[in-house]
Amino acid sequence: MRVIAGEHRGRRLTAVPGKGTRPTTDKVKESIFNMIGPYFDGGWALDLYAGTGGLGIEALSRGAERAVFVERDARAFSIVQQNVSACRLDNQAELYKNDASRALRVLAKRGMAFDLVFLDPPYAQQNITGEIELMQELKLLSDGAWIVAEHDVDITLPEVVGHCIQYRAAIYGDTAVTLYYFEEERDEPAEEAAT
């Protein structure tokens, strides 16, 4: 595993020991950033199930201003800390050892809003649609934000989740990536006029 492009290109990242964490492969990571590349321009990133921190670190390497990493597993959290420090990104990173929904509420209380969100939960615990809804409810998405959801190939995510519109989906072996675009002012279907 390595950083693919940007300021820290080529830097190797430490993996989490054991099989409890499924890191995003370099091939999938490169494909994700090829998808969002033309639309990704700085801003704040959220790596909600950080694992090794590879996606958030890649975003920082490619020009994100700051990244927040959330990981509840102690071993994985320690690896995220190691990888962030190895890339000398401590000043641009915030790390939370917490579960996803609690962390989202803490970030919302701080008034944070993200331009790029990575959702790569363990396949057995996926609630991607619910988390996209919660992020909108808590006002954690900047207008024009991108959400990258990595999930089991057998799961089909909805075309629209609130104000998030599915922009693209791709399959890489047993992994699927679905990309959503958040438009705060998206027109709702016109309701029938009352008579």
Side-chain angles (χ1 to χ4, degrees):
M1 266 192 331
R2 62 194 171 85
V3 180
I4 308 251
E7 186 182 346
H8 302 282
R9 178 180 180 178
R11 185 172 291 278
R12 295 220 161 264
L13 301 175
T14 303
V16 180
K19 300 193 178 191
T21 302
R22 172 190 39 78
T24 302
T25 66
D26 287 351
K27 178 186 172 187
V28 172
K29 188 161 49 175
E30 188 165 17
S31 299
I32 285 170
F33 280 90
N34 285 343
M35 277 195 261
I36 61 174
Y39 315 103
F40 168 58
D41 183 25
W44 283 59
L46 171 62
D47 195 346
L48 192 56
Y49 293 87
T52 63
L55 290 169
I57 289 169
E58 188 75 31
L60 287 171
S61 182
R62 292 174 185 243
E65 292 156 47
R66 289 188 69 77
V68 173
F69 299 83
V70 177
E71 178 53 61
R72 73 175 187 183
D73 178 81
R75 282 195 309 176
F77 184 79
S78 172
I79 295 294
V80 176
Q81 288 176 310
Q82 282 180 46
N83 285 332
V84 165
S85 292
C87 293
R88 297 190 181 93
L89 290 167
D90 300 271
N91 291 337
Q92 291 175 268
E94 288 184 36
L95 281 66
Y96 290 84
K97 186 179 175 296
N98 213 331
D99 70 36
S101 62
R102 268 199 220 124
L104 290 176
R105 287 178 167 81
V106 169
L107 296 170
K109 281 182 185 164
R110 292 184 53 200
M112 298 177 86
F114 296 95
D115 305 284
L116 179 60
V117 177
F118 299 104
L119 288 177
D120 184 15
Y123 284 177
Q125 301 164 25
Q126 292 197 331
N127 178 26
I128 290 169
T129 304
E131 283 162 351
I132 292 173
E133 288 170 344
L134 181 60
M135 283 187 283
Q136 292 175 78
E137 181 187 315
L138 295 173
K139 304 197 180 319
L140 283 166
L141 301 173
S142 301
D143 194 26
W146 293 96
I147 299 173
V148 179
E150 196 174 324
H151 53 94
D152 190 286
V153 72
D154 295 330
I155 294 171
T156 302
L157 294 176
E159 294 280 326
V160 177
V161 182
H163 288 250
C164 290
I165 304 159
Q166 192 178 127
Y167 180 78
R168 193 162 168 200
I171 293 171
Y172 309 94
D174 62 354
T175 298
V177 174
T178 303
L179 181 60
Y180 284 96
Y181 179 73
F182 174 69
E183 218 171 1
E184 201 164 7
E185 297 302 317
R186 189 170 76 80
D187 293 332
E188 296 294 335
E191 291 187 22
E192 288 179 17
T195 55

